Amino acid sequence: MTIQVTGNLLEGCVLAVLSTGDEYGYSLTQRVKNELGVSESTLYPVMRRLQTDDCLTAYDMPFNGRNRRYYRITERGHTQHAACKQAWTHFKGRIDGIIFSGGGTQ
């Protein structure tokens, strides 16, 4: 069984990777893709949306005669990442309660 990661959770995963430092776009997409099994075509729109929301900035750096696009998390992005971690902890606890004990919060 595969559990799909979409929406805010996928944004949180991109922010988590970038919270440790700037990342070249292809490298970033490969890291997330390898962990979650999502495609680059899914990730680039997420990265653009995070840029539009001022959670990421992008800049180009020359590499072997070409430019590479790098992404950097902003202060707003760090705030969003912290909110995502908090929401995930709460959500995961509720799911664990259902899956592992058949209950959840009563």
Side-chain angles (χ1 to χ4, degrees), residues 8-44:
N8 292 339
L9 187 54
L10 192 52
E11 290 178 4
C13 291
V14 169
L15 292 172
V17 170
L18 292 171
S19 71
T20 61
D22 297 2
E23 191 85 33
Y24 164 53
Y26 179 76
S27 174
L28 171 62
T29 60
Q30 292 307 298
R31 285 180 64 185
V32 176
K33 175 184 170 183
N34 290 339
E35 291 298 323
L36 302 177
V38 296
S39 69
E40 292 94 345
S41 63
T42 299
L43 290 168
Y44 280 105

Side-chain angles (χ1 to χ4, degrees), residues 15 19 23 26 37-38 49 57 64 69 85 88 97:
L15 292 172
S19 71
E23 191 85 33
Y26 179 76
V38 296
R49 189 168 51 250
T57 60
N64 289 341
R69 170 122 329 154
K85 288 193 301 187
W88 173 252

Side-chain angles (χ1 to χ4, degrees), residues 24-25 59-70:
Y24 164 53
Y59 60 94
D60 293 335
M61 293 283 294
F63 179 80
N64 289 341
R66 297 174 34 177
N67 278 339
R68 281 186 167 179
R69 170 122 329 154
Y70 285 82

Side-chain angles (χ1 to χ4, degrees), residues 65-102:
R66 297 174 34 177
N67 278 339
R68 281 186 167 179
R69 170 122 329 154
Y70 285 82
Y71 293 87
R72 174 180 293 149
I73 192 170
T74 63
E75 283 303 314
R76 181 179 171 96
H78 282 291
T79 300
Q80 287 295 104
H81 177 229
C84 181
K85 288 193 301 187
Q86 183 177 11
W88 173 252
T89 299
H90 177 73
F91 180 75
K92 181 184 176 303
R94 295 183 72 175
I95 295 297
D96 284 349
I98 292 169
I99 290 178
F100 294 109
S101 69

